[in-house]
Amino acid sequence: MSGKPVSGITPSQTVGPYFKYGLTPGTDYRWNDAFGNNLATPDAVGERIRIEGQVFDGDGKPVVDSMLEIWQADGQGRFADQTQGTLANTAFRGFGRVGTDASGAFAFDTVKPGQVPDPDGKLQAPHILLAVFARGMTMQTYSRIYFVGQAANATDPVLALVPSERRNTLMATKQGAAYRFDVHLQGERETVFFDL
Amino acid sequence: MTLVYPRESNSIHAPRLSPAYKSTTKRAPQKPLVIMRHTLSELTGPAYGHEAVRENDHDLTIQHDGEPLGERIIVHGYVKDEDGRGVANTLVEVWQANACGRYIHAVDQHPAPLDPNFTGAGRCKSDDKGYFRFVTIKPGAYPWGNHHNAWRPAHIHFSVFGHSFVSRLVTQMYFPNDPLFAFDPIYNSIPDENVRKRMVSSFDLDNTKPDWALCYRFDIVLRGRNATPMESK
């Protein structure tokens, strides 16, 4: 199938309310997970972290039927990109998926990412890409998880594009041993989403 | 090969706020999305999930002791990029209702029977030309609570990855000539009628298996084109 120009991309449709048995079955259905929410393979390079949060709708109600996916570099800023599959010296794969539970909650266990460059070669602050899918969302929304208190946040070229009063919606905050990152799909505390 | 992902390609999608599809009203962002250049983070993407694909995961009719009820079908096609190149070795996941229009999901309680021989989940990896193939049964239409007498046209949910995190696509494949198209706010959330039709599979007589299964063809086009435009031929 080579080189025949196509007429345009396939449109997105909502993931709907019933994806769990296919995409995030866990042990509830007779199917197996292709992906999980623990990215911290034993040999992954980087500080072990846990990110916990909840997803809320415009009424502040927990969204119990959403799916979150993350994509990130390892602690040295290396992506397990398709050219390599996994990084040469680790099983770290940089991708995770989780469904929200009955309280709209989710968690990821991973490593804190290192810095990766922007198109000008300038280093970005450590961040994790986030895609949120749900019933009532015609396609995924993209956000970024940054880490509160990182010196590099002050010079991050992407954060600089975000109105200062909204930057806090992109910050995972320390809560006990874990980081906290809530997603507000709309409303006063609406999370910053990116047009990618 | 360096791919670029022009933002304009996304203009065909449904508005995030599509009020006829009621659930969007509380879940669509209200503030403007922040436009940014793609960085290495956006231009790379997961390459795995493949090892989770077991030999028969593409055949939804042989996952249980007996065969599911319904019309056996083959669903096949190519995953392509915007230049028409096949997207090789990418994970394709599907989930669907059974022949009666009932999902095995615990939340679906509409009064149609479950089929003990059908879960409705499958996955496969596209081959080196981007080709994928599933064997399943044709899902039924089903009612939902969006408005009075709302029914979803029969569809199969698809989840595809592609070359980067921004080529990620979740969509639904429909069947040709479904009389419910005109009444479905999810299908019609795509503004352009010709774009909507990209989600409708075509009946593929040449690839039916006589005395065994009908066949539908569904090609999926993901974002991503060569940084240097190809010469048109």
Side-chain angles (χ1 to χ4, degrees), chain B residues 52-95:
Chain B
V53 179
R54 297 163 299 193
E55 190 182 349
N56 291 320
D57 279 356
H58 71 287
D59 189 338
L60 286 70
T61 68
I62 57 170
Q63 295 174 0
H64 298 268
D65 292 339
E67 288 204 73
L69 293 172
E71 184 183 334
R72 192 187 293 116
I73 59 173
I74 296 160
V75 174
H76 72 152
Y78 287 86
V79 182
K80 304 176 190 177
D81 65 20
E82 289 178 82
D83 291 328
R85 277 182 300 263
V87 179
N89 303 317
T90 200
L91 184 69
V92 182
E93 299 167 282
V94 295
W95 70 103

Side-chain angles (χ1 to χ4, degrees), chain B:
Chain B
M1 182 175 61
T2 308
L3 291 182
V4 293
Y5 302 87
R7 187 171 286 105
E8 300 76 61
S9 301
N10 273 338
S11 63
I12 55 95
H13 288 305
R16 292 174 188 276
L17 178 61
S18 297
Y21 174 24
K22 286 184 182 158
S23 300
T24 65
T25 57
K26 296 294 180 186
R27 295 184 168 195
Q30 291 170 321
K31 296 183 163 65
L33 304 191
V34 174
I35 295 174
M36 56 171 281
R37 289 190 295 169
H38 295 153
T39 76
L40 194 60
S41 307
E42 289 76 28
L43 296 172
T44 49
Y48 85 105
H50 310 151
E51 70 278 14
V53 179
R54 297 163 299 193
E55 190 182 349
N56 291 320
D57 279 356
H58 71 287
D59 189 338
L60 286 70
T61 68
I62 57 170
Q63 295 174 0
H64 298 268
D65 292 339
E67 288 204 73
L69 293 172
E71 184 183 334
R72 192 187 293 116
I73 59 173
I74 296 160
V75 174
H76 72 152
Y78 287 86
V79 182
K80 304 176 190 177
D81 65 20
E82 289 178 82
D83 291 328
R85 277 182 300 263
V87 179
N89 303 317
T90 200
L91 184 69
V92 182
E93 299 167 282
V94 295
W95 70 103
Q96 65 168 89
N98 69 22
C100 301
R102 176 81 186 268
Y103 284 90
I104 204 169
H105 193 288
V107 169
D108 185 8
Q109 293 295 325
H110 109 263
L114 288 171
D115 183 338
N117 290 314
F118 193 69
T119 299
R123 61 171 75 97
C124 73
K125 188 180 75 157
S126 66
D127 73 9
D128 57 2
K129 294 185 171 64
Y131 178 75
F132 68 86
R133 180 176 180 273
F134 290 99
V135 178
T136 184
I137 52 96
K138 194 172 179 183
Y142 60 87
W144 61 309
N146 189 70
H147 57 275
H148 174 67
N149 201 22
W151 292 76
R152 295 295 330 280
H155 60 274
I156 297 176
H157 295 268
F158 272 76
S159 160
V160 196
F161 281 83
H163 289 298
S164 86
F165 203 60
V166 297
S167 62
R168 182 90 176 87
L169 177 75
V170 170
T171 189
Q172 301 179 23
M173 183 204 95
Y174 299 91
F175 293 88
N177 304 314
D178 195 313
L180 290 168
F181 285 154
F183 312 104
D184 181 42
I186 293 181
Y187 177 74
N188 291 298
S189 65
I190 310 299
D192 185 319
E193 184 182 357
N194 289 320
V195 173
R196 260 176 246 153
K197 289 176 181 167
R198 295 176 196 162
M199 303 184 291
V200 182
S201 58
S202 56
F203 177 60
D204 184 358
L205 183 68
D206 290 345
N207 287 294
T208 54
K209 272 202 171 180
D211 302 320
W212 192 72
L214 294 178
C215 181
Y216 292 88
R217 169 76 182 255
F218 183 55
D219 288 344
I220 298 168
V221 182
L222 303 178
R223 290 176 77 189
R225 59 171 48 138
N226 209 321
T228 321
M230 297 197 312
E231 279 183 51
S232 50
K233 288 172 184 162

